Amino acid sequence: MRASGPRARRASPVVRLPVPRGALAFTLEHAGEEHLVVSLGTPREIAWPATLTASERAIAAHIVAGRSTEQIARARGRSSRTIANQIASLLRKLEVASRVQLAARLQ
Amino acid sequence: MTEGLSPRADTCLLRARVIEMLDAALVRGAEPATRARTGALWDEVCAGRWEFIDRFEHAGRRLLVARRAARVRGGAALTRAEVLCMAAVLDRALQKVVAADLGVSESTVSTHVRRAMRKLGIATRAELALLVGEGAEREGAAGSAT
């Protein structure tokens, strides 16, 4: 016990983060290299306010997938300014401060 | 990467393997064993020993694929400060606590977060939020108190 104490403290400064809800992880061999797969569960169901437009709902799904404004703009064929405006109104209606908070709430 | 294949074709092959393995785990009842191993693998992710190279969706699940991180020293590529700051990414107040705890400014905290994201191969903060989740806030606060 005494011998392992100081050594263990020096060797493990690692902070543990909890496993995300419903996550599964496994490894697989591909092209001679080991790969890790993390599978995150389905997004939590939340009651969307009826005031959300169809575009805002579609954009919410993109945000949950972790996509950037530019990526959403390309996927939807709109300018990034339009998407930025739609994200702003989406966040206002859902009463969250940022897309990061939105993603966390749906996790 | 498989020789002679374009990166895109290789990604498709890898995705097909991932889906096959996932179906095996979920459908053919290997799930309990997979679940038991998840914790240990997750700790490796938190230590920065894997970097994410691909993400896609299948059957309502979000899948992240990683390979061994290129630069790992002493068992972990991420520093303790980087993991603490990453855990605080969802919470402004917690960011202040972590900054005070580490004795650095809040902009240094976001620098730590940016470095951690680069090491893990994560492009956006929203994507990081999916990994860190809500539970991480409490864990991070507890970690910084000790």
mmCIF file of all heavy atoms in Angstrom, chain A residues 13 16-18 20 22 25-27 29-31 34-42 44 64-66 100 104 107, chain B residues 2 10 17 21 37-38 42-43 45 57 60-66 68 80 86-87 90 124 130-131 133 139:
data_model
loop_
_atom_site.group_PDB
_atom_site.id
_atom_site.type_symbol
_atom_site.label_atom_id
_atom_site.label_comp_id
_atom_site.label_asym_id
_atom_site.label_seq_id
_atom_site.Cartn_x
_atom_site.Cartn_y
_atom_site.Cartn_z
ATOM 1 N N PRO A 13 -2.696 10.906 -13.454
ATOM 2 C CA PRO A 13 -3.339 12.193 -13.292
ATOM 3 C C PRO A 13 -4.627 12.269 -14.116
ATOM 4 O O PRO A 13 -5.171 13.317 -14.351
ATOM 5 C CB PRO A 13 -2.288 13.169 -13.854
ATOM 6 C CG PRO A 13 -1.551 12.367 -14.866
ATOM 7 C CD PRO A 13 -1.723 10.921 -14.537
ATOM 8 N N ARG A 16 -11.529 11.090 -15.082
ATOM 9 C CA ARG A 16 -12.488 10.226 -15.787
ATOM 10 C C ARG A 16 -13.733 11.006 -16.167
ATOM 11 O O ARG A 16 -14.297 11.727 -15.358
ATOM 12 C CB ARG A 16 -12.908 9.083 -14.870
ATOM 13 C CG ARG A 16 -11.910 7.964 -14.790
ATOM 14 C CD ARG A 16 -12.624 6.723 -14.242
ATOM 15 N NE ARG A 16 -11.961 5.522 -14.707
ATOM 16 C CZ ARG A 16 -10.919 4.984 -14.081
ATOM 17 N NH1 ARG A 16 -10.418 5.569 -13.016
ATOM 18 N NH2 ARG A 16 -10.374 3.890 -14.538
ATOM 19 N N LEU A 17 -14.168 10.845 -17.398
ATOM 20 C CA LEU A 17 -15.457 11.383 -17.804
ATOM 21 C C LEU A 17 -16.449 10.229 -17.833
ATOM 22 O O LEU A 17 -16.084 9.126 -18.225
ATOM 23 C CB LEU A 17 -15.368 12.012 -19.206
ATOM 24 C CG LEU A 17 -14.438 13.212 -19.367
ATOM 25 C CD1 LEU A 17 -14.437 13.677 -20.812
ATOM 26 C CD2 LEU A 17 -14.856 14.344 -18.463
ATOM 27 N N PRO A 18 -17.697 10.464 -17.393
ATOM 28 C CA PRO A 18 -18.658 9.365 -17.399
ATOM 29 C C PRO A 18 -18.989 8.924 -18.825
ATOM 30 O O PRO A 18 -18.965 9.734 -19.750
ATOM 31 C CB PRO A 18 -19.883 9.962 -16.715
ATOM 32 C CG PRO A 18 -19.722 11.429 -16.816
ATOM 33 C CD PRO A 18 -18.267 11.712 -16.879
ATOM 34 N N PRO A 20 -21.109 8.274 -21.940
ATOM 35 C CA PRO A 20 -22.368 8.891 -22.371
ATOM 36 C C PRO A 20 -23.539 7.912 -22.262
ATOM 37 O O PRO A 20 -23.358 6.696 -22.405
ATOM 38 C CB PRO A 20 -22.105 9.256 -23.827
ATOM 39 C CG PRO A 20 -20.633 9.314 -23.962
ATOM 40 C CD PRO A 20 -20.090 8.342 -22.976
ATOM 41 N N GLY A 22 -26.338 5.441 -22.771
ATOM 42 C CA GLY A 22 -26.654 4.468 -23.829
ATOM 43 C C GLY A 22 -25.515 4.154 -24.790
ATOM 44 O O GLY A 22 -25.743 3.556 -25.827
ATOM 45 N N ALA A 25 -19.185 0.732 -26.845
ATOM 46 C CA ALA A 25 -17.893 0.864 -27.540
ATOM 47 C C ALA A 25 -17.327 -0.511 -27.810
ATOM 48 O O ALA A 25 -17.454 -1.418 -26.990
ATOM 49 C CB ALA A 25 -16.928 1.683 -26.701
ATOM 50 N N PHE A 26 -16.737 -0.682 -28.981
ATOM 51 C CA PHE A 26 -16.064 -1.944 -29.292
ATOM 52 C C PHE A 26 -14.942 -1.670 -30.280
ATOM 53 O O PHE A 26 -14.888 -0.601 -30.894
ATOM 54 C CB PHE A 26 -17.044 -2.992 -29.835
ATOM 55 C CG PHE A 26 -17.853 -2.541 -31.023
ATOM 56 C CD1 PHE A 26 -17.368 -2.703 -32.310
ATOM 57 C CD2 PHE A 26 -19.104 -1.967 -30.839
ATOM 58 C CE1 PHE A 26 -18.121 -2.296 -33.401
ATOM 59 C CE2 PHE A 26 -19.865 -1.546 -31.932
ATOM 60 C CZ PHE A 26 -19.372 -1.707 -33.219
ATOM 61 N N THR A 27 -14.029 -2.622 -30.393
ATOM 62 C CA THR A 27 -12.910 -2.451 -31.326
ATOM 63 C C THR A 27 -13.088 -3.402 -32.494
ATOM 64 O O THR A 27 -13.762 -4.420 -32.381
ATOM 65 C CB THR A 27 -11.562 -2.746 -30.649
ATOM 66 O OG1 THR A 27 -11.637 -4.035 -30.056
ATOM 67 C CG2 THR A 27 -11.235 -1.722 -29.596
ATOM 68 N N GLU A 29 -10.854 -4.827 -36.245
ATOM 69 C CA GLU A 29 -9.643 -4.830 -37.053
ATOM 70 C C GLU A 29 -10.034 -4.475 -38.482
ATOM 71 O O GLU A 29 -10.959 -5.050 -39.041
ATOM 72 C CB GLU A 29 -9.051 -6.257 -36.997
ATOM 73 C CG GLU A 29 -7.647 -6.381 -37.495
ATOM 74 C CD GLU A 29 -6.621 -5.917 -36.476
ATOM 75 O OE1 GLU A 29 -6.977 -5.802 -35.290
ATOM 76 O OE2 GLU A 29 -5.476 -5.657 -36.879
ATOM 77 N N HIS A 30 -9.374 -3.475 -39.050
ATOM 78 C CA HIS A 30 -9.661 -3.129 -40.447
ATOM 79 C C HIS A 30 -8.360 -2.693 -41.116
ATOM 80 O O HIS A 30 -7.672 -1.823 -40.602
ATOM 81 C CB HIS A 30 -10.711 -2.022 -40.520
ATOM 82 C CG HIS A 30 -10.959 -1.525 -41.919
ATOM 83 N ND1 HIS A 30 -11.636 -2.272 -42.855
ATOM 84 C CD2 HIS A 30 -10.608 -0.373 -42.541
ATOM 85 C CE1 HIS A 30 -11.691 -1.602 -43.994
ATOM 86 N NE2 HIS A 30 -11.076 -0.441 -43.830
ATOM 87 N N ALA A 31 -8.041 -3.283 -42.241
ATOM 88 C CA ALA A 31 -6.834 -2.963 -43.007
ATOM 89 C C ALA A 31 -5.589 -3.023 -42.121
ATOM 90 O O ALA A 31 -4.729 -2.140 -42.166
ATOM 91 C CB ALA A 31 -6.964 -1.593 -43.666
ATOM 92 N N GLU A 34 -6.092 -1.378 -35.790
ATOM 93 C CA GLU A 34 -7.166 -1.499 -34.827
ATOM 94 C C GLU A 34 -7.998 -0.217 -34.816
ATOM 95 O O GLU A 34 -7.448 0.879 -34.818
ATOM 96 C CB GLU A 34 -6.577 -1.762 -33.434
ATOM 97 C CG GLU A 34 -7.593 -2.265 -32.439
ATOM 98 C CD GLU A 34 -7.003 -2.453 -31.057
ATOM 99 O OE1 GLU A 34 -5.904 -1.925 -30.807
ATOM 100 O OE2 GLU A 34 -7.649 -3.122 -30.237
ATOM 101 N N HIS A 35 -9.320 -0.370 -34.861
ATOM 102 C CA HIS A 35 -10.202 0.794 -34.817
ATOM 103 C C HIS A 35 -11.148 0.674 -33.639
ATOM 104 O O HIS A 35 -11.493 -0.425 -33.216
ATOM 105 C CB HIS A 35 -11.024 0.910 -36.102
ATOM 106 C CG HIS A 35 -10.213 1.340 -37.290
ATOM 107 N ND1 HIS A 35 -9.426 0.454 -37.986
ATOM 108 C CD2 HIS A 35 -10.072 2.544 -37.883
ATOM 109 C CE1 HIS A 35 -8.819 1.107 -38.968
ATOM 110 N NE2 HIS A 35 -9.188 2.381 -38.927
ATOM 111 N N LEU A 36 -11.538 1.822 -33.132
ATOM 112 C CA LEU A 36 -12.510 1.868 -32.032
ATOM 113 C C LEU A 36 -13.805 2.452 -32.570
ATOM 114 O O LEU A 36 -13.788 3.417 -33.333
ATOM 115 C CB LEU A 36 -11.982 2.751 -30.897
ATOM 116 C CG LEU A 36 -12.999 3.082 -29.795
ATOM 117 C CD1 LEU A 36 -13.113 1.927 -28.814
ATOM 118 C CD2 LEU A 36 -12.612 4.349 -29.059
ATOM 119 N N VAL A 37 -14.928 1.861 -32.171
ATOM 120 C CA VAL A 37 -16.233 2.407 -32.546
ATOM 121 C C VAL A 37 -16.962 2.797 -31.272
ATOM 122 O O VAL A 37 -17.044 2.008 -30.334
ATOM 123 C CB VAL A 37 -17.075 1.374 -33.328
ATOM 124 C CG1 VAL A 37 -18.412 1.979 -33.723
ATOM 125 C CG2 VAL A 37 -16.317 0.874 -34.544
ATOM 126 N N VAL A 38 -17.438 4.045 -31.215
ATOM 127 C CA VAL A 38 -18.303 4.467 -30.118
ATOM 128 C C VAL A 38 -19.670 4.698 -30.718
ATOM 129 O O VAL A 38 -19.826 5.472 -31.659
ATOM 130 C CB VAL A 38 -17.795 5.763 -29.442
ATOM 131 C CG1 VAL A 38 -18.746 6.177 -28.320
ATOM 132 C CG2 VAL A 38 -16.392 5.568 -28.897
ATOM 133 N N SER A 39 -20.662 4.000 -30.209
ATOM 134 C CA SER A 39 -22.027 4.153 -30.691
ATOM 135 C C SER A 39 -22.833 4.871 -29.617
ATOM 136 O O SER A 39 -22.971 4.384 -28.504
ATOM 137 C CB SER A 39 -22.600 2.763 -30.975
ATOM 138 O OG SER A 39 -23.997 2.836 -31.018
ATOM 139 N N LEU A 40 -23.324 6.055 -29.967
ATOM 140 C CA LEU A 40 -24.125 6.828 -29.013
ATOM 141 C C LEU A 40 -25.591 6.520 -29.267
ATOM 142 O O LEU A 40 -26.002 6.351 -30.406
ATOM 143 C CB LEU A 40 -23.860 8.323 -29.182
ATOM 144 C CG LEU A 40 -22.410 8.760 -28.966
ATOM 145 C CD1 LEU A 40 -22.219 10.200 -29.381
ATOM 146 C CD2 LEU A 40 -22.008 8.570 -27.520
ATOM 147 N N GLY A 41 -26.362 6.443 -28.187
ATOM 148 C CA GLY A 41 -27.768 6.065 -28.298
ATOM 149 C C GLY A 41 -28.585 7.090 -29.076
ATOM 150 O O GLY A 41 -28.088 8.108 -29.510
ATOM 151 N N THR A 42 -29.850 6.777 -29.230
ATOM 152 C CA THR A 42 -30.738 7.695 -29.950
ATOM 153 C C THR A 42 -30.924 8.967 -29.134
ATOM 154 O O THR A 42 -30.943 8.923 -27.906
ATOM 155 C CB THR A 42 -32.104 7.049 -30.178
ATOM 156 O OG1 THR A 42 -32.537 6.488 -28.949
ATOM 157 C CG2 THR A 42 -32.035 5.955 -31.219
ATOM 158 N N ARG A 44 -32.436 11.957 -27.065
ATOM 159 C CA ARG A 44 -33.568 11.998 -26.149
ATOM 160 C C ARG A 44 -34.746 12.709 -26.821
ATOM 161 O O ARG A 44 -34.560 13.687 -27.533
ATOM 162 C CB ARG A 44 -33.125 12.774 -24.902
ATOM 163 C CG ARG A 44 -34.084 12.714 -23.749
ATOM 164 C CD ARG A 44 -33.476 13.455 -22.576
ATOM 165 N NE ARG A 44 -32.244 12.807 -22.111
ATOM 166 C CZ ARG A 44 -31.377 13.382 -21.291
ATOM 167 N NH1 ARG A 44 -31.579 14.602 -20.883
ATOM 168 N NH2 ARG A 44 -30.311 12.730 -20.907
ATOM 169 N N VAL A 64 -27.778 18.376 -33.586
ATOM 170 C CA VAL A 64 -27.613 17.220 -32.702
ATOM 171 C C VAL A 64 -26.533 16.285 -33.251
ATOM 172 O O VAL A 64 -25.805 15.651 -32.500
ATOM 173 C CB VAL A 64 -28.960 16.488 -32.529
ATOM 174 C CG1 VAL A 64 -28.774 15.186 -31.797
ATOM 175 C CG2 VAL A 64 -29.921 17.385 -31.764
ATOM 176 N N ALA A 65 -26.425 16.235 -34.596
ATOM 177 C CA ALA A 65 -25.382 15.387 -35.196
ATOM 178 C C ALA A 65 -24.015 16.059 -35.120
ATOM 179 O O ALA A 65 -23.023 15.494 -35.577
ATOM 180 C CB ALA A 65 -25.740 15.073 -36.641
ATOM 181 N N GLY A 66 -23.954 17.275 -34.553
ATOM 182 C CA GLY A 66 -22.679 17.945 -34.350
ATOM 183 C C GLY A 66 -22.162 18.683 -35.572
ATOM 184 O O GLY A 66 -20.968 18.933 -35.685
ATOM 185 N N VAL A 100 -24.263 24.206 -28.266
ATOM 186 C CA VAL A 100 -23.623 23.192 -27.430
ATOM 187 C C VAL A 100 -24.592 22.728 -26.347
ATOM 188 O O VAL A 100 -24.743 21.538 -26.081
ATOM 189 C CB VAL A 100 -22.325 23.755 -26.809
ATOM 190 C CG1 VAL A 100 -21.725 22.771 -25.839
ATOM 191 C CG2 VAL A 100 -21.321 24.078 -27.899
ATOM 192 N N ALA A 104 -26.334 19.004 -25.806
ATOM 193 C CA ALA A 104 -26.245 18.316 -24.522
ATOM 194 C C ALA A 104 -27.625 17.937 -24.003
ATOM 195 O O ALA A 104 -27.825 16.871 -23.451
ATOM 196 C CB ALA A 104 -25.535 19.204 -23.506
ATOM 197 N N GLN A 107 -28.898 14.871 -25.629
ATOM 198 C CA GLN A 107 -28.045 13.674 -25.560
ATOM 199 C C GLN A 107 -28.672 12.567 -24.735
ATOM 200 O O GLN A 107 -29.288 12.845 -23.730
ATOM 201 C CB GLN A 107 -26.688 14.049 -24.973
ATOM 202 C CG GLN A 107 -25.605 13.098 -25.389
ATOM 203 C CD GLN A 107 -24.930 12.453 -24.241
ATOM 204 O OE1 GLN A 107 -24.833 13.023 -23.176
ATOM 205 N NE2 GLN A 107 -24.488 11.242 -24.416
ATOM 206 N N THR B 2 -6.120 1.031 -46.477
ATOM 207 C CA THR B 2 -5.859 -0.063 -47.414
ATOM 208 C C THR B 2 -5.160 0.467 -48.651
ATOM 209 O O THR B 2 -5.558 1.475 -49.217
ATOM 210 C CB THR B 2 -7.184 -0.737 -47.829
ATOM 211 O OG1 THR B 2 -7.925 -1.034 -46.664
ATOM 212 C CG2 THR B 2 -6.924 -2.010 -48.586
ATOM 213 N N ASP B 10 -12.225 3.441 -48.855
ATOM 214 C CA ASP B 10 -11.806 2.807 -47.608
ATOM 215 C C ASP B 10 -12.781 3.148 -46.482
ATOM 216 O O ASP B 10 -13.131 2.295 -45.677
ATOM 217 C CB ASP B 10 -10.391 3.251 -47.247
ATOM 218 C CG ASP B 10 -9.843 2.437 -46.089
ATOM 219 O OD1 ASP B 10 -9.769 1.202 -46.261
ATOM 220 O OD2 ASP B 10 -9.531 3.011 -45.052
ATOM 221 N N ARG B 17 -18.109 -2.483 -42.177
ATOM 222 C CA ARG B 17 -17.646 -3.361 -41.085
ATOM 223 C C ARG B 17 -18.257 -2.948 -39.759
ATOM 224 O O ARG B 17 -18.684 -3.779 -38.958
ATOM 225 C CB ARG B 17 -16.112 -3.290 -40.969
ATOM 226 C CG ARG B 17 -15.312 -3.945 -42.069
ATOM 227 C CD ARG B 17 -15.284 -5.465 -41.988
ATOM 228 N NE ARG B 17 -15.192 -6.023 -40.627
ATOM 229 C CZ ARG B 17 -14.052 -6.228 -39.984
ATOM 230 N NH1 ARG B 17 -12.904 -5.924 -40.537
ATOM 231 N NH2 ARG B 17 -14.050 -6.752 -38.781
ATOM 232 N N MET B 21 -20.605 -5.168 -37.271
ATOM 233 C CA MET B 21 -20.247 -5.444 -35.874
ATOM 234 C C MET B 21 -21.328 -4.951 -34.919
ATOM 235 O O MET B 21 -21.642 -5.601 -33.930
ATOM 236 C CB MET B 21 -18.931 -4.756 -35.519
ATOM 237 C CG MET B 21 -17.702 -5.295 -36.206
ATOM 238 S SD MET B 21 -17.044 -6.760 -35.408
ATOM 239 C CE MET B 21 -16.415 -6.111 -33.860
ATOM 240 N N ARG B 37 -17.329 -4.051 -21.680
ATOM 241 C CA ARG B 37 -16.016 -3.557 -22.129
ATOM 242 C C ARG B 37 -16.032 -2.058 -22.395
ATOM 243 O O ARG B 37 -14.982 -1.425 -22.485
ATOM 244 C CB ARG B 37 -15.621 -4.300 -23.413
ATOM 245 C CG ARG B 37 -14.265 -4.981 -23.304
ATOM 246 C CD ARG B 37 -13.753 -5.409 -24.643
ATOM 247 N NE ARG B 37 -12.465 -4.783 -24.946
ATOM 248 C CZ ARG B 37 -11.971 -4.702 -26.167
ATOM 249 N NH1 ARG B 37 -12.655 -5.163 -27.188
ATOM 250 N NH2 ARG B 37 -10.798 -4.138 -26.380
ATOM 251 N N THR B 38 -17.254 -1.494 -22.539
ATOM 252 C CA THR B 38 -17.384 -0.092 -22.934
ATOM 253 C C THR B 38 -16.665 0.853 -21.977
ATOM 254 O O THR B 38 -15.972 1.771 -22.417
ATOM 255 C CB THR B 38 -18.878 0.278 -23.060
ATOM 256 O OG1 THR B 38 -19.432 -0.466 -24.139
ATOM 257 C CG2 THR B 38 -19.069 1.757 -23.325
ATOM 258 N N TRP B 42 -13.887 3.506 -22.971
ATOM 259 C CA TRP B 42 -14.220 4.920 -22.806
ATOM 260 C C TRP B 42 -13.101 5.649 -22.056
ATOM 261 O O TRP B 42 -12.760 6.787 -22.379
ATOM 262 C CB TRP B 42 -15.557 5.073 -22.082
ATOM 263 C CG TRP B 42 -15.936 6.491 -21.897
ATOM 264 C CD1 TRP B 42 -15.974 7.195 -20.740
ATOM 265 C CD2 TRP B 42 -16.306 7.408 -22.940
ATOM 266 N NE1 TRP B 42 -16.340 8.490 -20.988
ATOM 267 C CE2 TRP B 42 -16.549 8.651 -22.327
ATOM 268 C CE3 TRP B 42 -16.443 7.291 -24.325
ATOM 269 C CZ2 TRP B 42 -16.917 9.775 -23.050
ATOM 270 C CZ3 TRP B 42 -16.813 8.415 -25.043
ATOM 271 C CH2 TRP B 42 -17.052 9.634 -24.402
ATOM 272 N N ASP B 43 -12.531 4.989 -21.038
ATOM 273 C CA ASP B 43 -11.416 5.593 -20.303
ATOM 274 C C ASP B 43 -10.243 5.866 -21.229
ATOM 275 O O ASP B 43 -9.538 6.872 -21.087
ATOM 276 C CB ASP B 43 -10.984 4.697 -19.139
ATOM 277 C CG ASP B 43 -11.972 4.755 -17.983
ATOM 278 O OD1 ASP B 43 -12.821 5.668 -17.985
ATOM 279 O OD2 ASP B 43 -11.901 3.899 -17.086
ATOM 280 N N VAL B 45 -10.519 6.577 -24.392
ATOM 281 C CA VAL B 45 -10.913 7.760 -25.175
ATOM 282 C C VAL B 45 -10.619 9.022 -24.367
ATOM 283 O O VAL B 45 -10.037 9.986 -24.872
ATOM 284 C CB VAL B 45 -12.409 7.714 -25.559
ATOM 285 C CG1 VAL B 45 -12.849 9.019 -26.203
ATOM 286 C CG2 VAL B 45 -12.677 6.550 -26.494
ATOM 287 N N GLU B 57 -24.416 8.126 -39.152
ATOM 288 C CA GLU B 57 -25.587 7.632 -38.433
ATOM 289 C C GLU B 57 -26.064 6.333 -39.048
ATOM 290 O O GLU B 57 -25.987 6.142 -40.252
ATOM 291 C CB GLU B 57 -26.704 8.684 -38.467
ATOM 292 C CG GLU B 57 -26.468 9.808 -37.467
ATOM 293 C CD GLU B 57 -27.301 11.038 -37.748
ATOM 294 O OE1 GLU B 57 -28.499 10.864 -38.000
ATOM 295 O OE2 GLU B 57 -26.742 12.139 -37.736
ATOM 296 N N GLY B 60 -30.649 5.017 -36.341
ATOM 297 C CA GLY B 60 -30.946 5.935 -35.242
ATOM 298 C C GLY B 60 -29.812 6.103 -34.247
ATOM 299 O O GLY B 60 -29.935 6.854 -33.292
ATOM 300 N N ARG B 61 -28.711 5.388 -34.443
ATOM 301 C CA ARG B 61 -27.574 5.563 -33.535
ATOM 302 C C ARG B 61 -26.519 6.416 -34.202
ATOM 303 O O ARG B 61 -26.342 6.372 -35.417
ATOM 304 C CB ARG B 61 -26.974 4.199 -33.157
ATOM 305 C CG ARG B 61 -27.926 3.316 -32.380
ATOM 306 C CD ARG B 61 -27.220 2.069 -31.882
ATOM 307 N NE ARG B 61 -26.330 2.338 -30.770
ATOM 308 C CZ ARG B 61 -26.700 2.316 -29.492
ATOM 309 N NH1 ARG B 61 -27.934 2.023 -29.176
ATOM 310 N NH2 ARG B 61 -25.842 2.562 -28.532
ATOM 311 N N ARG B 62 -25.826 7.228 -33.410
ATOM 312 C CA ARG B 62 -24.731 8.042 -33.948
ATOM 313 C C ARG B 62 -23.427 7.299 -33.691
ATOM 314 O O ARG B 62 -23.135 6.918 -32.560
ATOM 315 C CB ARG B 62 -24.731 9.410 -33.280
ATOM 316 C CG ARG B 62 -25.925 10.256 -33.705
ATOM 317 C CD ARG B 62 -26.254 11.291 -32.675
ATOM 318 N NE ARG B 62 -26.689 10.668 -31.430
ATOM 319 C CZ ARG B 62 -26.790 11.295 -30.283
ATOM 320 N NH1 ARG B 62 -26.476 12.561 -30.208
ATOM 321 N NH2 ARG B 62 -27.200 10.667 -29.209
ATOM 322 N N LEU B 63 -22.669 7.088 -34.751
ATOM 323 C CA LEU B 63 -21.463 6.268 -34.641
ATOM 324 C C LEU B 63 -20.217 7.095 -34.881
ATOM 325 O O LEU B 63 -20.146 7.876 -35.830
ATOM 326 C CB LEU B 63 -21.532 5.125 -35.659
ATOM 327 C CG LEU B 63 -22.660 4.131 -35.373
ATOM 328 C CD1 LEU B 63 -23.085 3.413 -36.624
ATOM 329 C CD2 LEU B 63 -22.217 3.152 -34.308
ATOM 330 N N LEU B 64 -19.249 6.923 -33.995
ATOM 331 C CA LEU B 64 -17.960 7.593 -34.128
ATOM 332 C C LEU B 64 -16.891 6.520 -34.271
ATOM 333 O O LEU B 64 -16.857 5.569 -33.491
ATOM 334 C CB LEU B 64 -17.670 8.436 -32.888
ATOM 335 C CG LEU B 64 -18.648 9.592 -32.636
ATOM 336 C CD1 LEU B 64 -18.675 9.954 -31.172
ATOM 337 C CD2 LEU B 64 -18.271 10.787 -33.468
ATOM 338 N N VAL B 65 -16.047 6.658 -35.284
ATOM 339 C CA VAL B 65 -14.983 5.677 -35.512
ATOM 340 C C VAL B 65 -13.642 6.349 -35.219
ATOM 341 O O VAL B 65 -13.406 7.486 -35.632
ATOM 342 C CB VAL B 65 -15.004 5.161 -36.963
ATOM 343 C CG1 VAL B 65 -14.000 4.024 -37.132
ATOM 344 C CG2 VAL B 65 -16.396 4.694 -37.346
ATOM 345 N N ALA B 66 -12.789 5.640 -34.498
ATOM 346 C CA ALA B 66 -11.492 6.211 -34.122
ATOM 347 C C ALA B 66 -10.385 5.239 -34.450
ATOM 348 O O ALA B 66 -10.609 4.046 -34.604
ATOM 349 C CB ALA B 66 -11.492 6.526 -32.630
ATOM 350 N N ARG B 68 -6.010 4.506 -33.387
ATOM 351 C CA ARG B 68 -5.040 4.801 -32.335
ATOM 352 C C ARG B 68 -4.428 6.184 -32.550
ATOM 353 O O ARG B 68 -3.987 6.488 -33.657
ATOM 354 C CB ARG B 68 -3.923 3.748 -32.349
ATOM 355 C CG ARG B 68 -4.353 2.416 -31.787
ATOM 356 C CD ARG B 68 -4.248 2.410 -30.278
ATOM 357 N NE ARG B 68 -4.751 1.151 -29.730
ATOM 358 C CZ ARG B 68 -5.249 1.047 -28.515
ATOM 359 N NH1 ARG B 68 -5.355 2.100 -27.734
ATOM 360 N NH2 ARG B 68 -5.667 -0.118 -28.061
ATOM 361 N N ARG B 80 -4.180 16.394 -17.958
ATOM 362 C CA ARG B 80 -5.243 16.459 -16.961
ATOM 363 C C ARG B 80 -6.033 17.758 -17.130
ATOM 364 O O ARG B 80 -7.254 17.785 -17.050
ATOM 365 C CB ARG B 80 -4.616 16.388 -15.567
ATOM 366 C CG ARG B 80 -5.611 16.413 -14.448
ATOM 367 C CD ARG B 80 -4.942 16.168 -13.110
ATOM 368 N NE ARG B 80 -5.953 16.182 -12.058
ATOM 369 C CZ ARG B 80 -6.374 17.288 -11.478
ATOM 370 N NH1 ARG B 80 -5.874 18.449 -11.822
ATOM 371 N NH2 ARG B 80 -7.312 17.234 -10.541
ATOM 372 N N MET B 86 -12.374 20.155 -20.819
ATOM 373 C CA MET B 86 -13.318 19.517 -21.731
ATOM 374 C C MET B 86 -14.608 19.178 -20.974
ATOM 375 O O MET B 86 -15.706 19.359 -21.498
ATOM 376 C CB MET B 86 -12.674 18.232 -22.249
ATOM 377 C CG MET B 86 -13.113 17.770 -23.576
ATOM 378 S SD MET B 86 -12.008 16.481 -24.156
ATOM 379 C CE MET B 86 -12.509 15.092 -23.176
ATOM 380 N N ALA B 87 -14.460 18.703 -19.733
ATOM 381 C CA ALA B 87 -15.629 18.321 -18.940
ATOM 382 C C ALA B 87 -16.487 19.538 -18.604
ATOM 383 O O ALA B 87 -17.683 19.420 -18.350
ATOM 384 C CB ALA B 87 -15.188 17.620 -17.661
ATOM 385 N N LEU B 90 -19.757 22.557 -21.159
ATOM 386 C CA LEU B 90 -21.182 22.874 -21.243
ATOM 387 C C LEU B 90 -21.609 23.960 -20.276
ATOM 388 O O LEU B 90 -22.726 24.434 -20.322
ATOM 389 C CB LEU B 90 -22.009 21.626 -20.937
ATOM 390 C CG LEU B 90 -21.798 20.451 -21.876
ATOM 391 C CD1 LEU B 90 -22.625 19.275 -21.415
ATOM 392 C CD2 LEU B 90 -22.167 20.848 -23.281
ATOM 393 N N THR B 124 -16.275 20.197 -33.976
ATOM 394 C CA THR B 124 -17.106 21.267 -33.417
ATOM 395 C C THR B 124 -17.385 21.020 -31.933
ATOM 396 O O THR B 124 -17.360 19.882 -31.462
ATOM 397 C CB THR B 124 -18.467 21.364 -34.148
ATOM 398 O OG1 THR B 124 -19.181 20.147 -33.921
ATOM 399 C CG2 THR B 124 -18.271 21.564 -35.636
ATOM 400 N N LEU B 130 -21.742 16.124 -27.328
ATOM 401 C CA LEU B 130 -22.367 14.798 -27.405
ATOM 402 C C LEU B 130 -21.563 13.798 -26.589
ATOM 403 O O LEU B 130 -22.113 12.909 -25.952
ATOM 404 C CB LEU B 130 -22.430 14.316 -28.855
ATOM 405 C CG LEU B 130 -23.347 15.077 -29.797
ATOM 406 C CD1 LEU B 130 -23.278 14.452 -31.178
ATOM 407 C CD2 LEU B 130 -24.767 15.066 -29.285
ATOM 408 N N LEU B 131 -20.244 13.941 -26.624
ATOM 409 C CA LEU B 131 -19.381 13.002 -25.908
ATOM 410 C C LEU B 131 -19.320 13.310 -24.422
ATOM 411 O O LEU B 131 -19.279 12.423 -23.593
ATOM 412 C CB LEU B 131 -17.961 13.053 -26.482
ATOM 413 C CG LEU B 131 -17.781 12.509 -27.888
ATOM 414 C CD1 LEU B 131 -16.346 12.688 -28.326
ATOM 415 C CD2 LEU B 131 -18.154 11.039 -27.935
ATOM 416 N N GLY B 133 -21.550 15.248 -22.606
ATOM 417 C CA GLY B 133 -22.876 15.036 -22.037
ATOM 418 C C GLY B 133 -23.144 15.833 -20.778
ATOM 419 O O GLY B 133 -22.332 16.638 -20.349
ATOM 420 N N GLU B 139 -19.332 15.431 -12.601
ATOM 421 C CA GLU B 139 -18.071 14.706 -12.451
ATOM 422 C C GLU B 139 -16.902 15.678 -12.459
ATOM 423 O O GLU B 139 -16.002 15.598 -11.647
ATOM 424 C CB GLU B 139 -17.927 13.694 -13.592
ATOM 425 C CG GLU B 139 -16.757 12.744 -13.446
ATOM 426 C CD GLU B 139 -17.148 11.519 -12.626
ATOM 427 O OE1 GLU B 139 -18.269 11.480 -12.088
ATOM 428 O OE2 GLU B 139 -16.329 10.627 -12.526
#
